[in-house]
Amino acid sequence: MKFSKCGPLRGEVTVPGDKSVSHRSVMFGSIAKGTTEIHNFLQGADCLSTISCFRKMGIAIDNKGDTVLVHGRGMHGLRKPEGILDCGNSGTTTRLISGILAAQDFTVTLTGDASIQKRPMKRIVDPLSRMGAKIRSIQDNGCAPLEITGSPLQGIRYLSPVASAQVKSAILLAGLFAEGETRVTEPELSRNHTELMLSRFGADVHTENTTAVIRPAPELYGQKILVPGDISSAAFFLAAGLLVPGSEILIRNVGINPTRDGILRVCRKMGADLTLLGVNQDAGEPVADLLVKSSHLHGITIGGAIIPTLIDELPIIAAMACFAEGETIIRDAAELKVKESNRIDVMVRNLSAMGADVEETADGMIIRGGRPLSGAVIDSRLDHRIAMTFAVAACLAEGETEILGAECVNISYPGFYQDLERLVQ
Ligand code: S3P
């Protein structure tokens, strides 16, 4: 797909539902009693993988487009699927579902695409095994495919070496079925959608600083879930609106949960003209409209506790830093290497190809802004956030940019290119 420099962005856009919240609503709905009604569900390939896995385990799910009805069968209602469970490109599906499967009374194999089969699963295999699960990497390489035989579980106290909501959630979900209390302590707080939503479904879960605590649940109960717009999708328009001179856009209905809003804090620190309007809690999570006006940005240092709150936004932040004055340092972000692609490597290669001054470090990158970018051929490595990042960079670069594998945006944002085009016209 080819892109070239664009004029100012104007008007309004409503980004699709949050990916993390959409996944969880189907998973928790499936093991709850009664029907869960989900509004603004993200119809991206990742969330459709979650729906397909639970359908294979006997859960009736009516996907009516914007609304999804999950007819839950209770804590012990899942059935052994025929064949393997295919998690596609979705790390969230693979890791969270493993926590649930660890406690069922059947054996199941789960796997996914080439990217999923390279991503680290030892981080969930180790704690789930300590809880009593029988779970193994079939090729003994710490990756999917995984074979899981459900077993009686015991609660644990787990000190997680990484701030990962996927690891935390897998353990908490296993903890729902375990004997006794389960505690997961993270080095920094990761996104807390699991804790918030499980509590709404009736689980006994709470947080003490960076520790999440759960007690076994006799039953969860179906809920009505309103999925906020995904801040990780909004981030691309936020960046484009700030960077393309003369832009003014309103991004409607964006989830601004404080464990996800690092991008807003970073933009403000870089000098962004960014206003939150109509803040409300109607979705059970904080939501706002973002008013974005083009701004003169300057470089900053990003590291420490803010990293998990903007982990998926670091590719677009790195691109933004190329247009900011001075140096931007991203550190404490080694987790980027084990996302859908190695996002440090892919960002450094592709930004360099466009002429940016960017240097790879052990746990991030250093970007010296101010050099004009020029169009280039960009290999997205089929990583949705890389493709969207370079579609935005292309809006600011001289000449033509070609993005290879551009269709991978369907993972989290079908319709992304159309929405971008509409704002530009
Ligand atoms: C997610 C958590 C994050 C994030 C991913 C979605 C989730 O991964 O990168 O896109 O829904 O829990 P980690 O928890 O592994 O950092």
Side-chain angles (χ1 to χ4, degrees):
M1 205 171 207
K2 293 187 175 157
F3 300 83
S4 46
K5 195 165 181 169
C6 70
L9 282 78
R10 296 273 171 171
E12 295 186 10
V13 63
T14 305
V15 292
D18 186 274
K19 183 155 78 70
S20 295
V21 173
S22 296
H23 279 300
R24 285 159 173 80
S25 60
V26 168
M27 293 185 185
F28 306 170
S30 294
I31 56 168
K33 219 169 148 174
T35 299
T36 288
E37 187 181 313
I38 311 163
H39 295 272
N40 200 32
F41 181 83
L42 170 62
Q43 299 286 338
D46 268 12
C47 299
L48 297 178
S49 292
T50 292
I51 288 188
S52 134
C53 287
F54 281 93
R55 278 187 177 148
K56 273 194 165 175
M57 291 192 286
I59 304 298
I61 301 174
D62 303 328
N63 187 353
K64 305 177 176 206
D66 195 48
T67 305
V68 173
L69 298 179
V70 181
H71 303 284
R73 289 173 39 88
M75 293 281 292
H76 301 282
L78 298 181
R79 297 198 193 112
K80 180 177 168 65
E82 273 184 33
I84 61 166
L85 293 180
D86 183 0
C87 302
N89 189 244
S90 173
T92 308
T93 309
T94 312
R95 298 201 178 100
L96 268 62
I97 226 175
S98 296
I100 296 174
L101 295 175
Q104 305 306 310
D105 57 2
F106 50 79
T107 298
V108 60
T109 299
L110 73 163
T111 192
D113 67 7
S115 153
I116 273 293
Q117 292 187 39
K118 282 194 225 128
R119 297 182 66 186
M121 293 299 152
K122 196 172 175 315
R123 51 178 61 193
I124 55 154
V125 169
D126 286 352
L128 293 176
S129 300
R130 272 184 51 195
M131 295 178 82
K134 294 190 185 68
I135 169 168
R136 70 180 183 99
S137 157
I138 290 176
Q139 282 158 12
D140 206 17
N141 59 357
C143 301
L146 300 175
E147 185 191 74
I148 305 179
T149 301
S151 317
L153 303 178
Q154 298 93 46
I156 50 165
R157 286 174 165 252
Y158 189 66
L159 215 57
S160 177
V162 282
S164 160
Q166 295 182 359
V167 171
K168 171 174 64 177
S169 302
I171 301 168
L172 293 177
L173 285 166
L176 267 183
F177 296 90
E179 202 181 299
E181 184 180 87
T182 290
R183 305 176 72 92
V184 186
T185 302
E186 310 184 85
E188 314 283 1
L189 189 63
S190 67
R191 64 191 67 190
N192 64 357
H193 305 298
T194 294
E195 297 88 309
L196 294 177
M197 199 190 288
L198 273 181
S199 167
R200 282 181 63 187
F201 273 81
D204 181 356
V205 56
H206 71 274
T207 307
E208 299 166 9
N209 301 314
T210 65
T211 301
V213 185
I214 197 162
R215 296 198 181 85
E219 206 62 83
L220 301 180
Y221 300 94
Q223 297 296 313
K224 185 169 172 180
I225 303 288
L226 185 54
V227 181
D230 198 327
I231 191 168
S232 299
S233 297
F236 300 104
F237 299 129
L238 174 53
L242 291 174
L243 295 174
V244 179
S247 297
E248 178 167 338
I249 56 171
L250 187 67
I251 315 172
R252 286 214 177 269
N253 188 39
V254 180
I256 53 163
N257 176 318
T259 63
R260 294 285 301 283
D261 73 346
I263 176 86
L264 304 182
R265 287 181 269 153
V266 157
C267 286
R268 288 220 174 90
K269 223 172 141 194
M270 292 177 88
D273 185 343
L274 165 64
T275 315
L276 266 53
L277 302 171
V279 180
N280 69 80
Q281 283 276 351
D282 301 349
E285 295 229 359
V287 165
D289 298 336
L290 311 182
L291 178 63
V292 184
K293 296 182 188 170
S294 55
S295 308
H296 182 76
L297 303 181
H298 54 82
I300 59 167
T301 294
I302 306 165
I306 199 169
I307 292 293
T309 73
L310 47 64
I311 189 73
D312 292 340
E313 288 67 77
L314 284 169
I316 189 64
I317 290 172
M320 249 172 26
C322 295
F323 301 95
E325 198 179 312
E327 190 173 78
T328 292
I329 301 173
I330 298 171
R331 59 163 77 114
D332 305 318
E335 275 294 297
L336 286 180
K337 295 178 186 172
V338 292
K339 294 296 177 188
E340 286 83 329
S341 67
N342 176 339
R343 287 181 176 162
I344 296 182
D345 176 63
V346 179
M347 283 306 300
V348 170
R349 274 174 203 269
N350 284 324
L351 286 177
S352 301
M354 294 182 95
D357 182 351
V358 50
E359 184 188 322
E360 175 168 352
T361 63
D363 62 352
M365 44 197 133
I366 300 173
I367 300 127
R368 282 168 282 269
R371 268 206 211 169
L373 298 195
S374 38
V377 176
I378 300 297
D379 186 352
S380 70
R381 308 259 183 104
L382 301 182
D383 181 331
H384 54 131
R385 301 210 195 276
I386 298 297
M388 290 188 273
T389 293
F390 284 93
V392 171
C395 287
L396 289 132
E398 290 302 333
E400 192 177 75
T401 295
E402 183 177 359
I403 302 181
L404 307 177
E407 70 287 350
C408 65
V409 303
N410 289 335
I411 291 291
S412 63
Y413 196 160
F416 170 73
Y417 299 117
Q418 291 88 324
D419 283 350
L420 181 60
E421 207 180 325
R422 215 172 26 77
L423 285 173
V424 168
Q425 276 163 4

